C-alpha cells in the first residue's frame, strides 16, 4: 500500500525486486490507484499466505491528503493478515512491525558527527557512516493477534507492548542463581554419596575387626587349652617315672 507518486512508485519497485529475489513466484500487487474503501475491502479478504506492506502514503487515489496513520487505523482493525512497515512511528498503531528505518538511530549518528566537527575535528577526516539506521521492531499485541507471539524473530529484535516478565527482566541474575543451586545440589549429592561409601567402608571394617577379635579370642582359648593339656601331660609323665622307679 503506497501513494501514486514518484516516491511511492520507487518503493514499489524496491519491494518487487526484493520479492523476486526471495521467490520468483511471489506476486506483488500495487494498490496505489485504489480508494481507501477499496483498500479496506481488499485487505480484509486476503488469504493467510499474504502480507501487507504499508509505506510512503500521504495522499489517496483522489489526490486528497490522507495521513498514513488514518489509513492504518481503518485497515488494521479489519485486515485478515499482518501489516508490515518500514516506518518506525507506525509500529504500535496497528502494524506488526518489520525492519524499520529508525529516525532516532539516524539522528543520533548525525548528532555525533556534528559534535565531532564542533569539537574541532577536521571534517575531511570524518569518514562516512557505513552502518544502516535500520533495526527490527515488532508489536507484541499484533503478534499475539495473528498467533505469532511465539514466532522466531530476527536476532536483536525489539518487541514493544510486551507484558512484564520477571524472568526476562532478571534473566541473567536468575540464571546465575539457578547455576549456583545446581552446583550446590551437585556438591550435596557428591557428599551424600561419599558419606554413604565411608559408612559402608567403616561398617565393613567394624565387621572385619569383630571377626578378627573373635578369632583372636579363639586362639587364646586354644592356647590356654593346649597349655593345660601340656601341664597334664607333664604330670602324667612324672607319675610314670615315679612308678617305674618303684618297680625297680
Amino acid at each position: 500500500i503506497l501513494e501514486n507518486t514518484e516516491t511511492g512508485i520507487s518503493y514499489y519497485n524496491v519491494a518487487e525486486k526484493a520479492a523476486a529475489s526471495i521467490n520468483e513466484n511471489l506476486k506483488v500487487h500495487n494498490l496505489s490507484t485504489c480508494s481507501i474503501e477499496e483498500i479496506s475491502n481488499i485487505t480484509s479478504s486476503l488469504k493467510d499466505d499474504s502480507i501487507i506492506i504499508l509505506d510512503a502514503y500521504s495522499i489517496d487515489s483522489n489526490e486528497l491528503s490522507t495521513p498514513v496513520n488514518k489509513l492504518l487505523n481503518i485497515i488494521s482493525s479489519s485486515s485478515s493478515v499482518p501489516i508490515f512497515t518500514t516506518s518506525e512511528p507506525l509500529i504500535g498503531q496497528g502494524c506488526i512491525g518489520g525492519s524499520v528505518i529508525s529516525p532516532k538511530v539516524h539522528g543520533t549518528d548525525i548528532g555525533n558527527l556534528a559534535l565531532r566537527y564542533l569539537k574541532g575535528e577536521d571534517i575531511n577526516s570524518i569518514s562516512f557512516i557505513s552502518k544502516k539506521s535500520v533495526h527490527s521492531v515488532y508489536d507484541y499485541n499484533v503478534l499475539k493477534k495473528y498467533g505469532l507471539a511465539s514466532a522466531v524473530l530476527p536476532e536483536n529484535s525489539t518487541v514493544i507492548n510486551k507484558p512484564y516478565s520477571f524472568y526476562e527482566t532478571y534473566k541473567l541474575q536468575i540464571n546465575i542463581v539457578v547455576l549456583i543451586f545446581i552446583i550446590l545440589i551437585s556438591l550435596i549429592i557428591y557428599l551424600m554419596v561419599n558419606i554413604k561409601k565411608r559408612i559402608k567402608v567403616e561398617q565393613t571394617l567394624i565387621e572385619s575387626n569383630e571377626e578378627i577379635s573373635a578369632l583372636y579370642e579363639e586362639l587364646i582359648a586354644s592356647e590356654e587349652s593346649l597349655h593345660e593339656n601340656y601341664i597334664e601331660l607333664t604330670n602324667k609323665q612324672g607319675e610314670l617315672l615315679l612308678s617305674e622307679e618303684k618297680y625297680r
Side-chain angles (χ1 to χ4, degrees):
I1 300 175
L2 38 81
E3 60 189 31
N4 191 22
T5 62
E6 185 176 344
T7 301
I9 292 171
S10 65
Y11 267 95
Y12 173 77
N13 292 334
V14 170
E16 191 175 38
K17 289 181 181 179
S21 66
I22 297 171
N23 188 332
E24 293 182 355
N25 295 322
L26 288 176
K27 296 180 180 179
V28 181
H29 299 279
N30 186 350
L31 304 184
S32 62
T33 59
C34 297
S35 66
I36 292 179
E37 184 179 355
E38 289 173 329
I39 291 173
S40 180
N41 291 333
I42 293 171
T43 56
S44 63
S45 59
L46 291 173
K47 296 181 180 180
D48 293 340
D49 60 352
S50 304
I51 64 169
I52 300 170
I53 301 177
L54 175 61
D55 262 312
Y57 196 96
S58 59
I59 56 175
D60 62 16
S61 59
N62 297 319
E63 297 187 356
L64 297 175
S65 177
T66 305
V68 65
N69 57 334
K70 179 181 178 180
L71 172 63
L72 177 59
N73 185 52
I74 294 172
I75 65 175
S76 63
S77 59
S78 60
S79 176
S80 59
V81 295
I83 303 171
F84 289 81
T85 185
T86 62
S87 178
E88 188 173 20
L90 296 181
I91 301 174
Q93 300 186 48
C95 284
I96 195 170
S99 294
V100 299
I101 301 171
S102 174
K104 182 178 179 181
V105 174
H106 187 66
T108 300
D109 292 338
I110 297 299
N112 289 333
L113 289 178
L115 283 174
R116 289 170 62 184
Y117 174 72
L118 292 174
K119 288 180 179 179
E121 190 172 344
D122 185 2
I123 195 169
N124 294 319
S125 66
I126 299 176
S127 58
F128 289 100
I129 298 175
S130 58
K131 72 173 185 177
K132 297 180 180 179
S133 302
V134 176
H135 64 147
S136 296
V137 184
Y138 294 89
D139 187 342
Y140 179 84
N141 293 332
V142 184
L143 288 170
K144 186 178 179 180
K145 175 183 176 182
Y146 292 102
L148 300 172
S150 59
V152 178
L153 301 176
E155 189 177 358
N156 299 322
S157 294
T158 300
V159 180
I160 65 172
N161 296 326
K162 190 173 183 180
Y164 172 78
S165 170
F166 181 81
Y167 176 74
E168 291 295 331
T169 304
Y170 300 101
K171 186 175 182 179
L172 177 62
Q173 294 86 337
I174 292 173
N175 288 339
I176 291 173
V177 171
V178 169
L179 179 61
I180 291 172
F181 267 108
I182 291 173
I183 293 173
L184 289 175
I185 291 172
S186 300
L187 288 174
I188 291 171
I189 292 173
Y190 171 77
L191 290 173
M192 289 178 65
V193 172
N194 190 43
I195 290 171
K196 285 184 177 180
K197 287 183 178 179
R198 289 183 60 185
I199 291 174
K200 187 176 181 180
V201 171
E202 289 177 359
Q203 187 65 33
T204 303
L205 289 174
I206 290 171
E207 292 175 357
S208 299
N209 186 50
E210 290 177 351
E211 291 178 359
I212 292 172
S213 297
L215 181 61
Y216 179 71
E217 290 176 357
E218 290 179 2
L219 289 173
I220 291 175
S222 298
E223 185 181 359
E224 290 177 352
S225 177
L226 288 172
H227 184 66
E228 291 175 356
N229 291 335
Y230 175 75
I231 292 173
E232 184 178 354
L233 180 61
T234 303
N235 291 336
K236 293 292 184 182
Q237 287 178 343
E239 291 177 358
L240 287 173
L241 289 173
L242 290 174
S243 297
E244 288 178 358
E245 289 178 357
K246 287 180 181 180
Y247 286 112
R248 288 178 184 173

